[in-house]
């Protein structure tokens, strides 16, 4: 995960202290979010969840993923040390992953419950 | 009353021959689109050494200024580089056409007549066409072959307004909006596969459909043309003033380092 020195005095100095290759390494966060939304979609489809419980599962899986990353990867430390965007960057699934969830959910729901 | 408790039985062959093929085709066409755009991009035109030198001079001074307040350079390095660049900008030694003659003010090249800017705009428009065409073709293919039957049931409800779009070709006024035709499966795939492309092709891929709708050929042209007509003489003058300002702000990170080290070990 990315690291930057703590206690930056001003915004310009704070920007200077951020190490670019580590920020690029944070794209593993995107991959994790995508995979978790895929599996959440599969789970929702297989379980046969309909409208509101399905979206509730997506929300729960997003929060659970964020919690896991926070405790395991960030070692429970403050997020300013690892992520430039703070809590929102950790939790936000993004538009892409929301649509991916819907796609995979529909796919598995169709395979398991609609077709014989 | 709508019979939402009754469920339709669908032939599993629909699943094998429509559901999976549409998804597979869309994934493959997306990957194909990405590589076609990559092949269509012409390599950047090789610029003469003088032009590169003037761009690099500007970049050098900006890099120097960026860390001026917490600079890793000791004072004699910083001031010597800064003075050298200031004098060079003042005299115009880095300019592409040599020091300015001083008689006529230079005019920036017109973006329409400048061939380099036209290339940029054409390349942008070409990529836009490549993005649009496969989508149209796939939609036509689906409308032609996979029309007139129910494909899948959506797990979430939608309003009646969507019925005309999602159940195109199936003329039943009573059926639940959740039973949809293949075109809606196309739309679901269209939006949902972006994440997969980002995983397979990297984040800078050209198969991303969300980028198609936000960008337009004119946005690309607008971004490409201002890069060309830049008067480097004026930029150098402005940069010289910036360098003087930064020299005032300059402070070495290693200043008083001997006192800091000694006080850390308690010797002072």
């Amino acid at each position: 995960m990315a690291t930057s020195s703590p206690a930056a005095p001003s915004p310009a100095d704070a920007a200077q202290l951020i190490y670019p290759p580590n920020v690029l390494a944070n794209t593993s966060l995107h991959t994790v979010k995508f995979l978790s939304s895929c599996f959440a979609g599969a789970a929702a489809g297989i379980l046969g969840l309909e409208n509101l419980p399905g979206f509730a599962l997506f929300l729960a899986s997003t929060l659970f993923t964020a919690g896991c990353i926070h405790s395991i990867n960030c070692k429970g430390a403050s997020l300013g040390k690892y992520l430039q965007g703070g809590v929102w960057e950790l939790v936000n699934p993004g538009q892409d992953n929301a649509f991916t969830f819907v796609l995979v959910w529909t796919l598995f729901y169709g395979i398991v419950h609609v077709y014989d | 009353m709508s019979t939402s408790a009754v469920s339709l039985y669908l032939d599993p062959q629909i699943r094998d021959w429509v559901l999976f093929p549409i998804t597979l085709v869309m994934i493959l066409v997306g990957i194909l689109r990405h590589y076609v755009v990559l092949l269509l991009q012409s390599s950047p035109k090789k610029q003469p050494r003088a032009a590169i030198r003037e761009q690099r001079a500007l970049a050098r001074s900006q890099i120097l200024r960026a860390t001026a307040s917490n600079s890793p350079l000791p004072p004699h390095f910083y001031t010597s580089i800064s003075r050298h660049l200031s004098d060079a900008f003042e005299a115009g030694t880095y300019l592409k056409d040599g020091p300015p003659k001083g008689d006529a003010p230079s005019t920036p090249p017109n973006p329409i007549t400048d061939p380099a800017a036209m290339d940029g705009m054409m390349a942008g428009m070409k990529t836009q066409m490549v993005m649009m065409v496969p989508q149209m073709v796939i939609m036509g293919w689906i409308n032609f072959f996979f029309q007139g039957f129910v494909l899948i049931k959506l797990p979430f409800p939608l309003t009646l307004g969507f019925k005309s779009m999602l159940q195109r070709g199936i003329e039943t006024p009573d059926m639940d909006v959740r039973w949809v035709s293949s075109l809606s499966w196309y739309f679901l795939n269209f939006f949902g596969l972006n994440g997969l492309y980002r995983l397979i092709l990297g984040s800078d891929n050209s198969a991303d459909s969300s980028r198609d709708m936000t960008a337009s050929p004119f946005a690309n042209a607008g971004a490409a043309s201002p890069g060309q007509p830049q008067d480097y003489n004026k930029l150098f003058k402005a940069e010289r003033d910036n360098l003087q300002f930064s020299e005032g702000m300059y402070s070495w990170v290693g200043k008083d380092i001997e006192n800091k080290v000694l006080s850390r070990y308690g010797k002072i």
Side-chain angles (χ1 to χ4, degrees):
Chain A
M1 281 273 186
T3 45
S4 64
S5 293
S10 74
D13 289 345
Q16 187 189 339
L17 290 170
I18 292 179
Y19 185 54
N22 278 352
V23 176
L24 281 179
N26 273 0
T27 50
S28 62
L29 189 63
H30 283 130
T31 313
V32 168
K33 285 191 204 162
F34 171 72
L35 289 174
S36 82
S37 68
C38 271
F39 285 118
I46 293 175
L47 287 174
L49 297 178
E50 304 268 306
N51 32 353
L52 219 47
F55 290 115
L57 179 72
F58 179 54
L59 192 63
S61 86
T62 309
L63 293 174
F64 180 61
T65 310
C68 282
I69 295 180
H70 181 62
S71 53
I72 299 176
N73 292 66
C74 299
K75 301 180 186 55
S78 76
L79 292 174
K81 232 176 153 211
Y82 289 95
L83 295 172
Q84 220 173 336
V87 177
W88 182 240
E89 188 183 342
L90 185 65
V91 172
N92 182 24
Q95 182 193 353
D96 285 346
N97 293 334
F99 282 121
T100 303
F101 168 77
V102 169
L103 172 70
V104 180
W105 181 22
T106 308
L107 179 71
F108 277 89
Y109 182 80
I111 291 178
V112 173
H113 291 275
V114 174
Y115 285 99
D116 287 331
Chain B
M1 293 301 275
S2 70
T3 55
S4 54
V6 172
S7 77
L8 299 174
Y9 287 118
L10 296 176
D11 192 349
Q13 290 200 335
I14 300 182
R15 176 194 64 205
D16 296 337
W17 291 100
V18 182
L19 201 68
F20 294 143
I22 291 183
T23 306
L24 194 65
V25 164
M26 288 187 73
I27 294 178
L28 292 177
V29 166
I31 297 178
L32 180 73
R33 210 162 57 142
H34 169 74
Y35 284 115
V36 164
V37 167
L38 222 55
L39 288 172
L40 272 182
Q41 274 170 0
S42 52
S43 58
K45 214 169 57 139
K46 216 167 144 71
Q47 289 191 324
R49 188 169 169 274
I52 295 184
R53 193 177 65 159
E54 83 183 341
Q55 290 169 5
R56 294 283 165 85
L58 207 61
R60 270 196 295 163
S61 115
Q62 282 169 351
I63 292 172
L64 189 70
R65 281 193 300 118
T67 58
S69 52
N70 272 327
S71 182
L73 297 174
H76 48 280
F77 280 148
Y78 184 89
T79 42
S80 77
I81 297 178
S82 173
R83 299 264 165 79
H84 169 74
L85 282 173
S86 281
D87 295 337
F89 289 157
E90 177 67 28
T93 41
Y94 284 131
L95 284 175
K96 189 163 52 177
D97 303 318
K101 310 296 185 283
D103 40 4
S106 57
T107 55
N110 198 343
I112 299 181
T113 57
D114 188 19
M118 276 303 278
D119 285 344
M121 278 201 277
M122 291 315 291
M125 287 205 228
K126 264 193 291 187
T127 52
Q128 287 301 314
M129 289 320 297
V130 170
M131 308 279 232
M132 286 301 136
V133 165
Q135 304 300 336
M136 302 290 124
V137 168
I138 294 184
M139 257 209 277
W141 173 64
I142 290 182
N143 265 331
F144 182 67
F145 283 108
F146 302 123
Q147 201 182 29
F149 57 89
V150 164
L151 180 67
I152 202 170
K153 180 180 179 196
L154 294 177
F156 49 90
L158 287 171
T159 59
L160 280 179
F162 285 97
K163 202 174 159 70
S164 63
M165 181 170 78
L166 299 179
Q167 281 180 0
R168 190 161 297 237
I170 309 165
E171 314 298 336
T172 53
D174 280 339
M175 191 164 60
D176 208 347
V177 189
R178 296 167 61 170
W179 296 99
V180 291
S181 68
S182 1
L183 196 64
S184 76
W185 181 240
Y186 165 77
F187 282 124
L188 272 178
N189 274 298
F190 183 73
F191 290 115
L193 286 176
N194 293 334
L196 185 68
Y197 292 143
R198 196 166 55 181
L199 191 66
I200 303 180
L201 301 171
S203 66
D204 207 10
N205 68 81
S206 319
D208 211 336
S209 61
S210 61
R211 308 227 184 126
D212 284 354
M213 301 192 290
T214 51
S216 73
F218 305 105
N220 283 341
S225 43
Q228 297 305 83
Q230 277 184 348
D231 193 2
Y232 272 95
N233 208 8
K234 291 206 192 80
L235 285 175
F236 282 171
K237 298 285 187 290
E239 198 61 29
R240 191 166 167 273
D241 295 333
N242 288 337
L243 273 175
Q244 286 197 323
F245 180 64
S246 295
E247 218 172 302
M249 262 196 352
Y250 164 74
S251 146
W252 186 33
V253 278
K255 196 172 171 190
D256 292 335
I257 189 74
E258 54 271 15
N259 291 337
K260 286 188 202 161
V261 171
L262 286 175
S263 65
R264 179 190 259 237
Y265 288 105
K267 299 296 179 193
I268 284 193

